[in-house]
Every structure is written in structure tokens, then in C-alpha cells.
Amino acid sequence: EEVVEFRRFGVEPTVVPGISSALAGPMAAMTPVTHRGVANKVTFCTGMDRFENTPSVPPYDKEQTLVLLMSVGRLRHICDAMVAHGYPPSTPVGICERAT
């Protein structure tokens, strides 16, 4: 999205490969997204679809870490959707905003 926005203003950005904020944020908070015996997979989703609505939440999987990007403003809707899709209300969460 950022590259598209720059191009809209006639600026061709240079993309420097690195670590995604999807991994850097949890890492900065000392929260592993995978951990042997706890979470053997990680799913990355955006907190809003292209129409700025709350997107579909992936099905609950007790061995999955779900990382939601751009989600802070939609926490209530996302939490409701997660519970509706079988996530236990006691599911642990971590919230990182502007982590890195």
C-alpha cells in the first residue's frame, strides 16, 4: 500500500528487504509467534479489507498464532468475530502498536 501511495504522487520508492513489522513487532515485545509445543504455525492477516471493513477471521486452531496488522481501531469487531468463529474468550492476546 505504501509503494502505491508513493507512486500516486509520482515518487518511485526504493524497497529495502528486511524484517516485516509482522515479525518485528512481536519480536520487539519478546513474544515469539511460534513456539515448540504451543504454536507450530502463524497466520498473518490485515485488520481491515480493501473497503475498510473487518475482514473474515481465520478459523480457530489451538496451535496457531494469529497476527493481525492494522487492527487496533477494530479490536472490538475483531474480538467479536473471533469468538463467533470458535476462539475461546480466554484466548491469550498481545497488542503491539508502533512497536518498531
Side-chain angles (χ1 to χ4, degrees), residues 31-45:
T31 304
V33 294
T34 59
H35 193 282
R36 206 171 282 126
V38 178
N40 63 15
K41 62 186 126 193
V42 60
T43 301
F44 299 97
C45 300

Side-chain angles (χ1 to χ4, degrees), residues 27-98:
M27 204 169 9
M30 304 296 286
T31 304
V33 294
T34 59
H35 193 282
R36 206 171 282 126
V38 178
N40 63 15
K41 62 186 126 193
V42 60
T43 301
F44 299 97
C45 300
T46 181
M48 67 177 74
D49 66 14
R50 64 186 179 147
F51 303 109
E52 297 191 8
N53 298 311
T54 302
S56 297
V57 175
Y60 175 70
D61 181 336
K62 68 179 181 176
E63 295 182 358
Q64 166 185 272
T65 297
L66 176 60
V67 176
L68 296 163
L69 305 170
M70 303 177 294
S71 302
V72 172
R74 300 186 184 290
L75 287 176
R76 171 59 23 215
H77 298 292
I78 292 168
C79 289
D80 290 345
M82 290 174 73
V83 170
H85 282 84
Y87 288 74
S90 61
T91 300
V93 300
I95 299 171
C96 296
E97 184 178 17
R98 299 180 183 148

